[in-house]
Amino acid sequence: MKRLQIKYRALLGILIFYIPFHICLSPNYWDDKGFAQILSKYDNSLVQYTIARYSIWSSRITIELVVPILAMLPSVVWKCLNLLVIVLLYRELIWILEHIFELRENSVYYVTAVLLCAFPFSIMAQTGWIATTTNYLWVLAFGLYAINRMLKGGLLGIRLSRQEMICAALAVCYSASFESMAAILFLIEMGLLVYCKKSGKKCPAVVWMCMGMTAIFLVYILCCPGNRLRPIRDAQYWMPDYFELTLLDKLRMGILSSYMHFVSLPSPVFFIFNVIIFLMWKGESAGKRIMAALPVFTDVAWTGWFMINYLLGWRTLTYQVPTPLPKRFSEWVEQGLLLVTVALWFAVVLYTLITKVKKGWFAVIILILACLPEMAVGLTPTVVASILRTMIYLYMAMILLILIMAENEAGKWPAVSRRFIYLCMLMGVILNACQITRHILLYG
């Protein structure tokens, strides 16, 4: 243990936390159960299965090939692979902090590990452990790997090894199969092309390779008949009012569903993020301090409001979603106030990142890219079901931003403030453990 670097000690802590839960959970219900039996409907022919899924359901060809095979194998195979993907996710988050923001203090590795253990991992079981993780956790981890290899070559000018090129191609082959990640990859690839052209650099082969593969997947996604048929079926099941919604209504659903996820049940990661925003304006004018207090104040206020609703019997104690077409005056008022809250939150966060953070524009890009999947799912009739698992993008962005902001300012904070943040992180880990345990006891 003494010979291990700090980052690997932190990684070992993540594994110690997640391994017991992976031993106990059972990935054999809901969509996992369906995928375990689905190939038998097509005489165990992957070709027939893929053609049928593409025609009537989904363009996620790579993921759709992996999930039924994993569901049919002994669960220990997926459990081991999933733990390795969690390791990959940690390493890629650390890579961004080390190489883009030049953060290599010991606290960076420990705090990243603790926040990954405080992230509500039970949302990765919303449709079944295998189906949800392979579509969201794995896509994000492999997508980050591909993005970081492109940043390494295009932004930092470091030559990639042959093994890295092969792994980057495989990562794109998997992650670009998911619609929102394909869009994120393409935006980053275009950004790197523009950067290389303006800086007079030769665009590295890894960017061209990834961009070509992403473009093929985007064409495949846009041409998929299943992607046009699926919303009709989903609307009938999840949101019968879907076709009455305007574009603004759909955007409202995406925005409010995301924010209500954070505040309808206490979210330690979101709360810590807001506290960090407040602490960054320590010593500034009263007006700026009041501005900086808005995110944490509204977080506490809305969580209190939903808790009062639960105690009075108006709502259940769960993640809340907005009404697609509000009819009562109280619903309009609540959603209007929530929209104002989100607008203020975004304004304060963006202003803080731009004015207070070194390389703040990179931080802004991370936040905006993480919001794209939430906005995309808001345009679909499955927003009430899919927004929960889609929140992994914003959670990982917030973990990065917490580290980026805290390491810029932490030395200026009093000891009591730092202890309070550490206490919040510890409570987040405990809450995550309780949520995972509850899910395992109820479902498997």
Side-chain angles (χ1 to χ4, degrees):
M1 280 295 294
K2 289 181 179 180
R3 293 175 184 174
L4 282 177
Q5 294 182 30
I6 298 297
K7 69 171 74 175
Y8 298 117
R9 293 185 198 176
L11 177 55
L12 187 59
I14 294 174
L15 289 174
I16 291 172
F17 177 81
Y18 278 110
I19 283 175
F21 295 114
H22 277 70
I23 292 173
C24 296
L25 60 85
S26 302
N28 56 8
Y29 60 92
W30 297 340
D31 284 7
D32 292 350
K33 185 177 180 180
F35 274 112
Q37 302 168 352
I38 197 168
L39 284 180
S40 61
K41 299 178 182 178
Y42 302 96
D43 299 322
N44 292 320
S45 170
L46 287 175
V47 175
Q48 293 181 25
Y49 160 76
T50 302
I51 293 173
R53 296 289 286 186
Y54 183 73
S55 302
I56 64 174
W57 193 250
S58 172
S59 59
R60 300 173 189 174
I61 177 171
T62 315
I63 302 168
E64 294 269 319
L65 286 171
V66 169
V67 177
I69 295 173
L70 284 177
M72 291 170 63
L73 292 172
S75 62
V76 68
V77 176
W78 167 81
K79 292 178 181 182
C80 292
L81 290 174
N82 200 57
L83 287 167
L84 290 175
V85 172
I86 293 173
V87 169
L88 176 65
L89 180 60
Y90 168 79
R91 287 177 61 91
E92 297 311 312
L93 292 174
I94 290 299
W95 191 94
I96 293 172
L97 294 170
E98 287 182 337
H99 294 86
I100 304 301
F101 295 95
E102 300 173 356
L103 300 175
R104 294 181 175 87
E105 293 80 3
N106 292 343
S107 59
V108 170
Y109 307 115
Y110 287 132
V111 172
T112 304
V114 173
L115 289 175
L116 274 176
C117 294
F119 152 70
F121 190 73
S122 57
I123 66 175
M124 290 292 98
Q126 193 188 12
T127 61
W129 288 105
I130 296 177
T132 312
T133 53
T134 51
N135 275 274
Y136 293 89
L137 176 64
W138 291 28
V139 165
L140 180 57
F142 291 133
L144 276 180
Y145 180 87
I147 290 167
N148 289 346
R149 301 295 80 72
M150 288 189 284
L151 292 176
K152 183 178 179 179
L155 192 63
L156 304 181
I158 302 173
R159 185 178 179 86
L160 270 67
S161 66
R162 183 180 299 177
Q163 290 86 351
E164 284 180 301
M165 291 287 288
I166 294 171
C167 289
L170 292 173
V172 172
C173 187
Y174 187 89
S175 59
S177 183
F178 197 95
E179 305 85 356
S180 55
M181 181 54 77
I184 291 172
L185 286 170
F186 192 74
L187 288 173
I188 291 173
E189 290 153 2
M190 289 295 295
L192 285 171
L193 283 179
V194 173
Y195 169 78
C196 291
K197 184 176 180 180
K198 287 195 172 184
S199 60
K201 296 180 180 179
K202 182 181 178 181
C203 191
V206 64
V207 177
W208 287 111
M209 177 191 71
C210 293
M211 190 172 188
M213 295 179 66
T214 305
I216 292 172
F217 273 103
L218 284 173
V219 172
Y220 185 81
I221 290 167
L222 292 172
C223 295
C224 176
N227 287 343
R228 293 189 292 273
L229 294 173
R230 185 176 177 181
I232 299 173
R233 299 183 181 184
D234 285 340
Q236 294 172 347
Y237 185 81
W238 293 107
M239 194 188 298
D241 299 330
Y242 174 73
F243 294 105
E244 298 179 36
L245 302 179
T246 65
L247 177 61
L248 290 177
D249 288 328
K250 294 171 184 177
L251 290 174
R252 169 177 56 83
M253 288 293 293
I255 293 169
L256 293 186
S257 297
S258 301
Y259 188 77
M260 290 172 73
H261 164 84
F262 288 126
V263 298
S264 57
L265 285 181
S267 173
V269 174
F270 185 66
F271 180 73
I272 292 168
F273 179 84
N274 293 329
V275 170
I276 298 289
I277 292 285
F278 175 70
L279 291 175
M280 289 191 73
W281 291 94
K282 179 178 173 58
E284 299 285 348
S285 64
K288 290 183 178 179
R289 294 284 287 167
I290 293 172
M291 172 203 72
L294 285 174
V296 68
F297 173 77
T298 51
D299 179 10
V300 173
W302 279 112
T303 301
W305 168 249
F306 285 111
M307 186 59 66
I308 291 171
N309 275 251
Y310 165 70
L311 293 174
L312 294 177
W314 298 342
R315 281 187 169 98
T316 57
L317 187 61
T318 183
Y319 295 113
Q320 302 294 323
V321 293
T323 305
L325 290 172
K327 295 180 175 61
R328 293 182 296 179
F329 178 73
S330 59
E331 292 175 339
W332 281 109
V333 171
E334 183 182 76
Q335 292 196 19
L337 291 174
L338 280 166
L339 286 172
V340 171
T341 300
V342 174
L344 290 173
W345 181 87
F346 235 99
V348 173
V349 171
L350 292 178
Y351 183 64
T352 302
L353 294 177
I354 293 169
T355 59
K356 286 283 190 178
V357 175
K358 182 182 177 182
K359 296 184 179 180
W361 285 107
F362 282 104
V364 170
I365 291 170
I366 289 172
L367 179 61
I368 292 174
L369 288 176
C371 289
L372 292 181
E374 276 69 33
M375 295 301 96
V377 78
L379 301 176
T380 70
T382 59
V383 59
V384 295
S386 300
I387 197 69
L388 191 61
R389 48 191 181 267
T390 310
M391 295 304 295
I392 188 174
Y393 290 88
L394 264 177
Y395 271 114
M396 294 305 116
M398 286 185 180
I399 289 173
L400 285 174
L401 295 178
I402 286 170
L403 270 299
I404 293 163
M405 293 187 297
E407 291 304 319
N408 273 269
E409 301 285 333
K412 304 175 185 177
W413 300 340
V416 64
S417 297
R418 295 195 295 272
R419 291 190 189 116
F420 178 70
I421 292 172
Y422 295 148
L423 177 62
C424 290
M425 288 193 291
L426 176 61
M427 294 303 296
V429 174
I430 294 172
L431 179 60
N432 182 30
C434 292
Q435 289 175 325
I436 299 173
T437 303
R438 173 186 176 274
H439 191 96
I440 291 173
L441 292 174
L442 286 177
Y443 306 110

